[in-house]
């Protein structure tokens, strides 16, 4: 993988992006993005450098993988990647009171198919949420923040906060199929976007306010019940493109859903 020295980059010509990572700072020159790993420890940068070298040559459509590694005094400082212009995180795209589920489902189905390709290349995103899936108004979808992925024997300590709150804080369990980490993460982000609440605190009444009108939620009901049942093993998790029904066409009022006060938690029967 090609390397460039930090001193070769004209930092004063770069513009800081609005969306930022928790352990990095991202800039653009209009053509490329420059991601600086200023929140990682030196040993984490060394491990990441070796992982990037192992991943050299992998190219996946609609996945913003590293193109050049930024080096200073022999140490990894960051990397460059393609700039996806006029885009925003999928989580922000539908951060509104009203939206049509069909608009969301088109993006999510495309993202799910990209995830299948990522997995077929032996990569698990691991720190996956709708915050690191970028979309534009033309329906294009791209995965970003791939430095937190797992590849071969190169593991990552990073998971999304939503995943951690569900799996560790709520269920107190673990997932043994690596690909299922990504599939569950996407499902959790999907429910958070639909209902404005994490899956584990959505009530039966809240669930029915949408599932009575949206077939996709009916298709996901058994999976949702399995996930919220702490005694049930996590298995047979679908990719979202397997369950999304693009014939769904329903206007969602998130404020109306959130106005339904939680009661005793039950399965979504």
């Amino acid at each position: 993988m090609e390397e460039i020295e930090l001193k070769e980059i004209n930092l004063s010509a770069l513009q800081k992006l609005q969306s930022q990572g928790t352990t990095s700072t991202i800039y653009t020159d209009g053509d490329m993005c420059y991601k600086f790993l200023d929140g990682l420890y030196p040993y984490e940068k060394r491990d990441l450098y070796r992982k990037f070298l192992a991943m050299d040559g992998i190219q996946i459509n609609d996945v913003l993988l590293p193109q050049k590694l930024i080096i200073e005094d022999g140490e990894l400082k960051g990397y460059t990647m393609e700039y996806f212009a006029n885009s925003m995180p999928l989580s922000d795209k539908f951060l509104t009171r009203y939206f049509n589920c069909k608009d969301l489902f088109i993006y999510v189905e495309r993202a799910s198919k990209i995830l299948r390709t990522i997995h077929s290349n032996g990569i698990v995103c691991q720190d996956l949420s709708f915050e690191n899936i970028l979309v534009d108004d033309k329906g294009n979808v791209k995965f970003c923040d791939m430095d937190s992925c797992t590849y071969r024997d190169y593991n990552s300590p990073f998971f999304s906060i939503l995943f951690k709150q569900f799996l560790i804080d709520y269920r107190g369990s673990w997932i043994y199929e690596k690909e299922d980490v990504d599939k569950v993460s996407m499902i959790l982000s999907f429910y958070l976007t639909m209902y404005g609440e994490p899956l584990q605190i959505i009530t039966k009444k809240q669930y029915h306010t949408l599932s009575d009108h949206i077939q996709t939620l009916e298709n996901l009901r058994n999976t949702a019940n399995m996930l919220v049942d702490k005694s049930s093993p996590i298995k047979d998790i679908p990719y979202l493109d397997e369950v999304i029904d693009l014939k769904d066409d329903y206007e969602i009022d998130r404020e109306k859903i959130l106005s339904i006060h939680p009661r005793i938690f039950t399965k979504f029967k």
Side-chain angles (χ1 to χ4, degrees):
M1 185 172 289
E2 186 176 350
E3 299 180 0
I4 56 173
E5 291 290 331
L6 177 62
K7 61 185 178 182
E8 298 175 20
I9 301 172
N10 184 5
L11 298 176
S12 62
L14 303 183
Q15 179 181 358
K16 191 174 182 180
L17 294 182
Q18 183 175 357
S19 297
Q20 294 291 327
T22 55
T23 60
S24 62
T25 308
I26 308 173
Y27 300 84
T28 184
D29 60 9
D31 295 316
M32 301 292 299
C33 277
Y34 299 77
K35 184 169 183 177
F36 296 98
L37 306 166
D38 42 29
L40 298 183
Y41 292 107
Y43 77 90
E44 292 176 319
K45 293 179 182 179
R46 288 193 294 270
D47 291 345
L48 186 57
Y49 178 77
R50 288 191 286 266
K51 180 172 68 177
F52 282 161
L53 292 183
M55 293 173 63
D56 189 20
I58 296 177
Q59 295 182 350
I60 307 174
N61 289 338
D62 300 318
V63 180
L64 303 180
L65 291 168
Q67 294 185 346
K68 297 180 181 180
L69 303 184
I70 302 172
I71 305 296
E72 183 182 41
D73 297 330
E75 181 183 88
L76 179 69
K77 303 298 291 186
Y79 61 89
T80 69
M81 56 185 170
E82 175 192 347
Y83 176 50
F84 185 21
N86 303 315
S87 66
M88 66 173 65
L90 181 56
S91 55
D92 293 354
K93 179 74 174 178
F94 294 92
L95 195 60
T96 60
R97 174 175 176 176
Y98 300 102
F99 65 91
N100 193 295
C101 70
K102 189 178 190 70
D103 298 329
L104 172 65
F105 291 177
I106 290 172
Y107 284 114
V108 173
E109 187 204 33
R110 292 174 183 174
S112 180
K113 290 179 178 179
I114 296 169
L115 182 62
R116 286 178 180 269
T117 305
I118 291 171
H119 288 169
S120 71
N121 279 271
I123 299 171
V124 176
C125 300
Q126 194 163 288
D127 182 12
L128 176 58
S129 72
F130 281 4
E131 293 180 0
N132 47 37
I133 298 175
L134 302 178
V135 301
D136 66 13
D137 288 333
K138 298 179 181 179
N140 297 308
V141 180
K142 294 183 185 290
F143 278 63
C144 64
D145 292 342
M146 295 301 293
D147 45 89
S148 59
C149 73
T150 290
Y151 179 69
R152 293 181 182 172
D153 295 329
Y154 299 95
N155 297 313
S156 170
F158 300 108
F159 297 88
S160 74
I161 294 176
L162 187 64
F163 181 82
K164 182 264 182 186
Q165 290 174 339
F166 172 77
L167 197 73
I168 306 302
D169 300 344
Y170 169 71
R171 277 195 60 120
S173 60
W174 195 242
I175 294 178
Y176 296 98
E177 295 293 332
K178 288 185 177 181
E179 290 80 5
D180 282 350
V181 172
D182 286 350
K183 290 189 278 186
V184 169
S185 294
M186 278 201 74
I187 289 172
L188 294 176
S189 287
F190 177 78
Y191 275 106
L192 181 63
T193 302
M194 291 290 290
Y195 287 91
E197 297 276 21
L199 174 62
Q200 62 269 27
I201 65 171
I202 296 172
T203 66
K204 177 180 177 181
K205 186 175 182 180
Q206 284 175 319
Y207 200 93
H208 276 284
T209 58
L210 296 184
S211 67
D212 287 347
H213 307 281
I214 299 174
Q215 183 60 42
T216 295
L217 293 171
E218 287 298 323
N219 297 344
L220 264 175
R221 182 186 299 276
N222 289 338
T223 298
N225 282 331
M226 174 189 65
L227 290 173
V228 299
D229 183 356
K230 296 180 182 180
S231 65
S232 177
I234 297 176
K235 61 180 183 178
D236 301 323
I237 303 297
Y239 287 96
L240 281 174
D241 63 273
E242 297 178 66
V243 297
I244 284 177
D245 189 334
L246 291 178
K247 294 189 296 293
D248 285 329
D249 188 356
Y250 184 73
E251 191 76 14
I252 295 172
D253 180 350
R254 185 183 281 113
E255 188 170 303
K256 181 179 179 181
I257 299 169
L258 293 175
S259 68
I260 300 173
H261 297 295
R263 294 187 176 87
I264 297 174
F265 181 83
T266 60
K267 291 184 180 180
F268 312 123
K269 296 181 180 178

